[in-house]
Amino acid sequence: MTSQTLAELAGTPGVAARDAATHDFVFNHSMLRIKDPVASLDFYTRVLGFTLLRKADFEQAKFSLFFLALIDDLAVVPADPDERRQWLAVQPGVLELTHNHGTETQDGPVYHDGNSDPRGFGHICISVPDVRAACARFEDLGVPFQKRLSDGTMKSIAFIKDPDGYWIEIIQPTPIA
Amino acid sequence: MTSQTLAELAGTPGVAARDAATHDFVFNHSMLRIKDPVASLDFYTRVLGFTLLRKADFEQAKFSLFFLALIDDLAVVPADPDERRQWLAVQPGVLELTHNHGTETQDGPVYHDGNSDPRGFGHICISVPDVRAACARFEDLGVPFQKRLSDGTMKSIAFIKDPDGYWIEIIQPTPIA
């Protein structure tokens, strides 16, 4: 592992200077398809602390979208649905879950987590103040682990799995004592 | 489509009250595997305006990680690599790209975008101040589109494709005039 300066990073092959036309661009959300919204909303709200901030139902096309974010101070969220939608569209760190109606009644897993062939998407990551405390709580809640802190060589990160089997990395910003 | 109040959203089946143990949890990043870091870094920095803020090379395990974010004011980014790493771990809206060394010399696509069988991950989304201006610039830059603004029934959103074919939704927060 190496620790580059910002100048070294800016000189990495491929890296270009920022075009002023991209100012105010926001990495707003990542979208995952889910089998069962009741299971996924329970997981993301109860286990991880997300708040459901928008739901859109497309009855004719038979799908629903759920937008969630980790918001510590709900007072910042506009009550008016239109205002809230505009506010939500400029927040970074939003999770969009897509439910194609009817998948919840199918047997077994419906979606592919991206970590076996064909690979692509890998995981989402939640940063927590205390990764040991967070993982102990996940154990208490019966959350499945892909990798416990004690597994493998990287003792400071864990991976849990959401109801569809998507991997969620758990990290803490500071070194583990 | 429906526009729910926050109380209605909180009453959606599956949604649980927030556990205080989840305070200060941050949805930090989403990880995508990439075939060629030169192509992907060029795309995410030059076309979308991301800044490369951390690179980690694992020579023995033959992979590298690239962490990027959309940062309008680079003065907020710590210069010291350790401080920057800790700062980056509590930011929302970070993109992690994983390069397994050697894939860049393979012919054709290496990774699966998640939008054909087996499906799962769908897309990431960038919010822009002016979706028409952004899409006109993407056309000028020769960026491939999955869906132009004029395609289909949803005239306010577009989807472009990154060098691996991952879909990137482009939205603007306000209604299109």
Side-chain angles (χ1 to χ4, degrees), chain B residues 6 8 11 45 47 56 85 106 109 114 121 135 141 145 162-163 169:
Chain B
L6 284 167
E8 286 166 340
T45 59
V47 176
R85 183 177 170 161
Q106 293 181 31
F121 166 77
C135 287
L141 294 173
F145 278 76
D162 91 345
E169 184 179 12

Side-chain angles (χ1 to χ4, degrees), chain A residues 122-177:
Chain A
H123 60 259
I124 61 173
C125 174
I126 307 295
S127 170
V128 304
D130 182 333
V131 70
R132 285 206 187 102
C135 287
R137 177 173 165 271
F138 296 146
E139 295 278 8
D140 287 346
L141 294 172
V143 174
F145 278 75
Q146 174 64 30
K147 177 204 173 301
R148 289 185 165 76
L149 289 172
S150 55
D151 296 333
T153 56
M154 301 177 92
K155 304 298 186 194
S156 60
I157 61 172
F159 282 87
I160 58 174
K161 294 201 279 189
D162 91 345
D164 287 279
Y166 294 116
W167 294 11
I168 302 171
E169 184 180 10
I170 309 294
I171 62 171
Q172 76 177 40
T174 49
I176 295 197

Side-chain angles (χ1 to χ4, degrees), chain B residues 117-131:
Chain B
D117 287 333
R119 296 192 301 170
F121 166 77
H123 61 260
I124 61 172
C125 173
I126 308 295
S127 170
V128 303
D130 182 334
V131 70

Side-chain angles (χ1 to χ4, degrees), chain A residues 36-150:
Chain A
D36 179 351
V38 177
S40 292
L41 290 172
D42 171 68
F43 178 82
Y44 283 101
T45 59
R46 183 175 54 86
V47 176
L48 291 181
F50 280 79
T51 299
L52 179 62
L53 293 166
R54 184 183 159 214
K55 175 176 187 283
D57 298 306
F58 298 81
E59 294 299 344
Q60 261 196 320
K62 295 187 168 55
F63 70 94
S64 295
L65 308 178
F66 301 86
F67 295 86
L68 303 103
L70 280 164
I71 306 287
D72 277 335
D73 179 10
L74 285 176
V76 302
V77 179
D80 176 77
D82 284 336
E83 273 179 58
R84 188 183 339 121
R85 184 177 169 161
Q86 293 187 28
W87 172 84
L88 191 60
V90 292
Q91 303 306 308
V94 174
L95 179 65
E96 178 185 9
L97 302 177
T98 296
H99 173 228
N100 292 301
H101 299 170
T103 51
E104 70 279 12
T105 62
Q106 293 179 32
D107 283 333
V110 171
Y111 293 116
H112 175 59
D113 68 25
N115 294 303
S116 58
D117 286 333
R119 295 192 302 170
F121 166 77
H123 60 259
I124 61 173
C125 174
I126 307 295
S127 170
V128 304
D130 182 333
V131 70
R132 285 206 187 102
C135 287
R137 177 173 165 271
F138 296 146
E139 295 278 8
D140 287 346
L141 294 172
V143 174
F145 278 75
Q146 174 64 30
K147 177 204 173 301
R148 289 185 165 76
L149 289 172
S150 55

Side-chain angles (χ1 to χ4, degrees), chain B residues 61-106:
Chain B
K62 296 188 167 52
F63 70 93
S64 296
L65 307 179
F66 301 87
F67 294 86
L68 303 104
L70 281 163
I71 306 287
D72 277 335
D73 179 11
L74 285 176
V76 303
V77 179
D80 176 76
D82 284 336
E83 273 179 57
R84 187 181 342 119
R85 183 177 170 161
Q86 293 187 29
W87 172 84
L88 191 60
V90 293
Q91 303 306 308
V94 174
L95 179 65
E96 178 184 8
L97 302 176
T98 295
H99 173 228
N100 291 302
H101 299 170
T103 52
E104 70 279 11
T105 63
Q106 293 181 31

